[in-house]
Amino acid sequence: MRFGLLGTLTAHDGTAACQIRGPRTRTLLAVLLLNANRPVSLDRLTDALWGESAPATAEASLRNLVARLRKSLADEDGKRLHATPSGYRLAVAEDELDALCFEAAVRRARAAHEAGDLPAVLAETATALDLWRGEPLADLPEAVAADAVCEQWRESRLQALEWRFEAELRQGRPHALIPELTRLVGELPLREAFHAQLMRALHATGDRARALTVHQRLRTALIEELGIAPGPVVQEAHRQVLAEQAGQPAAPAPATATAVADRPRPSQLPAPAAHFVGRQEQLDALRRTLLAGSDRPAVAVVSGMAGIGKSALAVHCADALRTDFPDGQLFLNLRGATPGLSPLRAHAALTALLHGLGAPPETVPADSDSAAALLRTTLTGTRTLLVLDDAADTAQVRPLLPAAPGCAVLVTSRSPMHTLDPALHLRLDPLSEHDGIALVERTAGRATADRSVVAIEQADLARLVRLCGRLPLALRIVGARLAARRTLPVRGLVGRLEEHEDRLDELELDDLSIRQSLALTYDSLRASTRRPDLRAADALAAIGAIDLPDYSAPLLAAVLQITPAQAGAALDRLVEAALLDEPRPDRYSPHDLVRDYARELVADPGERIRHVRTALGWYLSLASRIALTLDPSAHRIRQLPPVDDADRLTGDTALATGDAEFGNLSTLVERIAAEPWATSAEVSLPVRAIAPYLRVRRHPETFRLNELVQRLALRDGDRNALGYALSDMAQVHFVTGRNLEGIELIDQCLPLVDDPTRRQVLLGNRGLLLSNLGRTEEAVACLEEALALAVRAADLRSEATVLSALGNLVEAEDPHRAIAHHRRSVEAGRLSGFGDAVCAGLANIGFAHLRLDDPATALQYFVQATASTEWLAAWHVGLENRRGQVEALRRLGRLEEALDMVRTLLEDAAAVQDAFATGTIEHTHGLVLRDLGRHTEARAAWHTALAQLGPSGHKAVVELRELLATG
């Protein structure tokens, strides 16, 4: 595929031109190509396609245009033009786009020009100029063709022409250049380089009179239009013509000699911060970038949130580079986020820089474009460092950049400015804790002389640094507070900052204020007329209202009642404004102090409650989808929101979703449960929905969350919520081996439950707990009652579970009867699609064959159980199966295989922090070690098992004590 931008828009598939029909489809392709290989937001595309008159259906229309463009490009699968979280991205190889080939040729030509390789200059400029078919995007609307990238290409073309003409002149071929240069000086009456080259070409052909006429016309134009005289390059060409006319030799002189000699050398850098610490890696990277030889000026951008130390880093770096830029150092505060001041406009910024370079006020052109041209001319041939501090955006910075190599620019901004194409982009993170402590100590001027209190003071300082979010501005403020009050202990200041409601009040001192710095960015978003900015402001307020560890676009979309794409664009905008970070793809979180500020943005309690309840509703819907996948039993999902078939999750996706969102759900439930307006019903449902995920993950939070529900249910008299809370708490006791505690909770729960399905589950669980305690007769009675309820309700899943429990219960007395129960359990599991029951039933048949002293057959069933389902929802099901394999291998004498497997099991149990499972596995581990003759290690394993299982009253405890007594 070949695309063309340098002229009319073209697309060619290698055989024929692609038919890109319709002005909006062509505009869409042009904008994507102008940003090739970079995501373009939906709002940016909408603005390009419709401007201020975008219809309400713009997003749907845009999707249709994308589909039409994909069809035209034979890209129906979207591999080339694919969607991103906030828009679309067009993938283009360098050799597929004429503009990219052009830029590469210009870079090579620049390098050849710098090296003085004239043949290479001619070859590379020819390559670049041959790609130029005319004005970029000449057939598209002016708003698209006026893109800043197109302006760069136009300038690069003129630069390539200058290099070609220079190479031709140096090789003694002036005649052919005169017609083209004559045309160019007519088209560009103020471009001095072409005038100087035309003068030299005319002079070389003996036409000195015309050469002087060219000079006179340029001089008149510059004085009349800009109020300035021709620059050093033109002056040198003029001098050579006059010198030969007077019969004097025209001694060559560097084009910049006069300019450099006469120009003032500014030294505008402010004094570096008195207490600068850390950032050595960033300083090294900046130094390498700003001093690297290149075919263009070096540009580095330092971005980050308010108070992160961007300006301090930039000034510290620039101060160390003074001698590397002997022609001066310019410093300009662009006031992108200065309290009480508007950002500096382009002309004002250009004027300030030109004044710093010695240009009298009357010589600065009145329009920004001419002033920018004068700045580039003035900086040409110098080694000058520009520090542009606190830039608002890329548009503010672009006119201030030099064009010729030798100069360097260091920009600081809260925005990352990726479209500036810097040679280096540094996004600053907070200081390390070590450097944060050092900054507070130096700012406070405190040195702990008493060694006995050093450890205490350092611990308090570390806490203080963490409460300040390791943010340099906050650390300077607390350091100054400590300096102002010499008797104020660090611990006292820590106590004040621990109250997050008052933290931002404490972080204000004189003209330093975290709240004010953050408010500038937020207020600029709120005052904007751009939809992404306004949505970003709304998103930050919602983030403060719901106050979670992190955020996703779908969650914010639900809270703000916008589309996920719009929410994603708003979150991306907050990242660009340095109010959020994106620590993981599509997960966003604020800095701690931004979180404090965001909490203040929603003052209306009713609005805050609405946001929180909407977020809880979204999490309930998500948890219901997880529950339907992990435990689709009727009693569990009956009162949960329905789930559309299109929204169903696979097993792995359900677990991954739970892993990603449970921390937020837990935080939200805990916070709501503490509110006086919370009800047991709204807290109970999401906790009930997430319970299957918690059981699979053996999550320690299960008990605590259900205790919250229990407290609210008792307060509200909510029997339904209380019954679910007690039964889920009993489940925790069951899987951790605390059988008596589990039975007590189930006995409290049973009188609250009338539903037959729920009673069946409770009775089945009670039977399992009684079985673990060896109370066989009571266990059988419970399980048979539960089985009768399951059969009556035609609940095959529950029937499979109860049959498995009955089989395990009778296994010791009658293994053959146990096998019959387990076969029925497996069949019920298969009929109901209950993979856990199938796996558990096959494993239980294996255990029954071990009881019959038939380890070979047992091993076959254990292996079959492993292969019976592609995904095991319950960790304990897979654990028991693999533990059975170990025991079968041990009895078959395959001890090394058994040892390898049991060690893998121990690693798995440690990974999920399952102490109870560790105890049961160590029991088997000891048996394998004993058979290997490693008795000391076996006893150590049994001691570990006893320590883990002892408090639970598990039936294996008696055997372990006997093994330790006799082994």
Side-chain angles (χ1 to χ4, degrees), residues 437-450:
I437 291 173
L439 179 56
V440 173
E441 286 181 325
R442 294 182 190 182
T443 306
R446 293 190 182 185
T448 308
D450 186 351

Side-chain angles (χ1 to χ4, degrees), residues 646-659:
D647 292 333
R648 287 177 178 262
L649 304 172
T650 65
D652 289 334
T653 304
L655 289 176
T657 303
D659 293 342

Side-chain angles (χ1 to χ4, degrees), residues 613-960:
R613 279 186 159 144
T614 302
L616 187 66
W618 184 83
Y619 274 109
L620 172 59
S621 176
L622 186 69
S624 298
R625 294 165 63 195
I626 295 173
L628 182 64
T629 300
L630 301 185
D631 184 6
S633 54
H635 80 91
R636 173 62 61 182
I637 65 171
R638 182 177 301 158
Q639 295 176 325
L640 300 180
V643 177
D644 293 338
D645 289 341
D647 292 333
R648 287 177 178 262
L649 304 172
T650 65
D652 289 334
T653 304
L655 289 176
T657 303
D659 293 342
E661 298 291 355
F662 174 70
N664 278 351
L665 174 58
S666 174
T667 300
L668 192 60
V669 165
E670 185 174 9
R671 185 171 297 121
I672 290 175
E675 296 287 350
W677 48 263
T679 66
S680 57
E682 65 185 335
V683 174
S684 171
L685 280 173
V687 173
R688 188 188 315 166
I690 203 65
Y693 163 78
L694 297 176
R695 281 205 303 275
V696 171
R697 289 300 195 214
R698 304 288 287 263
H699 208 292
E701 289 288 286
T702 305
F703 207 86
R704 185 181 62 81
L705 290 177
N706 279 286
E707 282 183 318
L708 296 176
V709 176
Q710 180 188 23
R711 176 174 57 80
L712 291 174
L714 289 171
R715 184 200 68 186
D716 296 346
D718 187 340
R719 290 167 53 91
N720 185 53
L722 181 60
Y724 272 108
L726 292 171
S727 63
D728 283 343
M729 292 161 70
Q731 174 74 17
V732 175
H733 286 319
F734 169 70
V735 297
T736 54
R738 294 192 295 272
N739 300 300
L740 282 173
E741 294 91 333
I743 289 173
E744 289 174 3
L745 288 176
I746 288 180
D747 287 344
Q748 294 176 42
C749 186
L750 279 168
L752 303 172
V753 176
D754 299 321
D755 179 71
T757 302
R758 287 184 61 195
R759 286 191 64 82
Q760 174 266 310
V761 172
L762 289 170
L763 288 168
N765 289 340
R766 189 172 189 276
L768 293 173
L769 291 163
L770 290 166
S771 173
N772 286 342
L773 290 171
R775 293 159 60 177
T776 306
E777 290 184 7
E778 295 174 78
V780 168
C782 270
L783 291 173
E784 287 180 343
E785 185 179 352
L787 181 60
L789 288 171
V791 171
R792 192 178 308 152
D795 184 351
L796 288 172
R797 290 174 63 92
S798 297
E799 187 178 338
T801 301
V802 177
L803 283 167
S804 179
L806 277 171
N808 290 334
L809 192 60
V810 302
E811 179 190 299
E813 296 179 0
D814 190 346
H816 293 288
R817 184 181 170 201
I819 290 172
H821 282 312
H822 293 316
R823 290 191 189 282
R824 288 178 59 195
S825 175
V826 169
E827 183 62 22
R830 283 181 172 144
L831 289 172
S832 60
F834 189 9
D836 277 1
V838 176
C839 180
L842 292 170
N844 285 332
I845 294 172
F847 280 112
H849 279 286
L850 285 179
R851 181 78 64 174
L852 293 168
D853 200 19
D854 185 2
T857 302
L859 184 59
Q860 292 175 9
Y861 277 100
F862 290 131
V863 172
Q864 186 181 350
T866 303
S868 67
T869 179
E870 295 180 358
W871 172 71
L872 300 177
W875 147 253
H876 69 275
V877 173
L879 162 68
E880 284 301 298
N881 174 40
R882 291 191 291 163
R883 199 168 64 84
Q885 288 188 57
V886 172
E887 180 61 18
L889 290 169
R890 182 182 76 84
R891 296 195 192 184
L892 290 168
R894 295 159 61 177
L895 298 177
E896 292 297 337
E897 293 178 63
L899 187 61
D900 288 342
M901 180 171 282
V902 79
R903 285 176 172 167
T904 300
L905 278 174
L906 286 170
E907 292 173 2
D908 292 346
V912 297
Q913 299 179 336
D914 190 334
F916 180 73
T918 298
T920 61
I921 300 165
E922 286 286 14
H923 178 199
T924 305
H925 186 203
L927 296 174
V928 176
L929 290 168
R930 181 197 62 186
D931 291 357
L932 284 166
R934 294 156 63 172
H935 298 286
T936 302
E937 294 173 73
R939 291 181 63 81
W942 290 331
H943 276 295
T944 301
L946 188 60
Q948 301 291 350
L949 298 176
S952 70
H954 192 273
K955 57 188 176 184
V957 169
V958 175
E959 182 183 348
L960 282 166

